[in-house]
Amino acid sequence: MRYFEFTIKPDDGAIHPVDSVIIETPGVTREALVHVNALANGTGVMLYRLRGDPERLQARLDGHPELLSCSSIAVEGETFHFYVHVKPGQPAGQLMSVAQKYALMVVPPLAFVEGGLRITVVGTHEMLQQALEELPAETRITVEQVGEYSPDERNVLSLLTDRQLEVFETAVENGYYEVPRQATHEDIAGTLDCAPSTVDEHLRKAESRILTSLV
């Protein structure tokens, strides 16, 4: 089995009409989709990890025609998880339909990046190739990497706390681990709106957990 990691960038940056509201809500930032699933009746459920004010978001979503239910859970500081049960919407609906058609596994979490969503799916080479050809034409797709899938290796990130994972992923996205290094603790802190000492602490703990699990 192989994994296929790609980034999708819809024209408006949203993967669903409800997602558009989340994007447009002042003071609320998308971090990741911790869980996503298409139900037999055509509706879908998504569990977001967000930063900001959950009450403000719920007020903005109140009465949305594509939303069946929503709830904020596990609030910790400025980070919270947000459950939504939604009617079919695009491009999320098409993506899940293609994944089901070709028996692909979607590996969470799905990380939000600038203007899009980074997704990892697992299947045979043939499955992945056919699925790629059927993805929505209007959605920009960038292949990040492809390789042999090893569940134990890829699940090592599950050892991290949500905050450690957030800091670690931001460091990777900003080029902190590139050679030569493209970002400093101060750069990462500026992106996350926290102190450089906080970045240093979380990166050291994340690196320790990851390296210990691999050695």
Side-chain angles (χ1 to χ4, degrees):
M1 301 288 279
R2 296 176 66 80
Y3 74 87
F4 180 88
E5 182 177 284
F6 61 97
T7 300
I8 64 166
K9 293 189 175 182
D11 288 339
D12 62 354
I15 60 171
H16 187 277
V18 167
D19 193 45
S20 294
V21 178
I22 297 175
I23 293 174
E24 295 166 1
T25 301
V28 173
T29 304
R30 302 175 305 169
E31 292 188 350
L33 277 175
V34 181
H35 177 80
V36 58
N37 193 25
L39 305 182
N41 62 1
T43 64
V45 293
M46 295 183 286
L47 181 63
Y48 285 84
R49 185 171 71 237
L50 306 172
R51 289 178 65 83
D53 185 351
E55 294 184 359
R56 175 181 291 181
L57 177 57
Q58 285 187 299
R60 291 287 296 268
L61 284 170
D62 186 37
H64 192 287
E66 306 301 320
L67 179 69
L68 297 172
S69 66
C70 66
S71 176
S72 60
I73 57 176
V75 178
E76 181 179 348
E78 293 185 356
T79 302
F80 65 99
H81 288 84
F82 196 73
Y83 166 89
V84 295
H85 180 197
V86 296
K87 295 180 181 179
Q90 306 308 331
Q94 291 168 302
L95 290 168
M96 292 305 298
S97 176
V98 169
Q100 290 179 333
K101 178 178 179 179
Y102 293 104
L104 300 175
M105 295 185 294
V106 179
V107 182
L110 286 61
F112 286 104
V113 296
E114 185 176 355
L117 181 68
R118 183 171 296 155
I119 303 173
T120 299
V121 295
V122 175
T124 67
H125 179 78
E126 291 74 20
M127 292 174 183
L128 294 169
Q129 189 63 41
Q130 290 176 311
L132 180 62
E133 293 172 357
E134 290 194 24
L135 290 177
E138 65 275 12
T139 300
R140 290 168 291 162
I141 300 171
T142 303
V143 177
E144 303 292 344
Q145 56 182 325
V146 179
E148 291 299 319
Y149 178 65
S150 175
D152 291 337
E153 289 182 8
R154 295 189 66 80
N155 284 341
V156 68
L157 295 181
S158 67
L159 298 172
L160 306 183
T161 66
D162 286 347
R163 188 58 167 164
Q164 289 168 358
L165 180 61
E166 175 189 27
V167 175
F168 182 70
E169 288 181 336
T170 301
V172 172
E173 291 167 4
N174 282 271
Y176 180 78
Y177 293 102
E178 296 291 332
V179 180
R181 184 164 284 172
Q182 303 296 315
T184 65
H185 287 174
E186 287 75 14
D187 296 327
I188 299 166
T191 300
L192 297 172
D193 193 24
C194 66
S197 59
T198 300
V199 171
D200 177 67
E201 177 185 359
H202 285 304
L203 283 183
R204 284 190 291 104
K205 290 181 178 178
E207 289 163 357
S208 175
R209 290 190 178 190
I210 291 172
L211 292 173
T212 299
S213 71
L214 294 176
V215 175

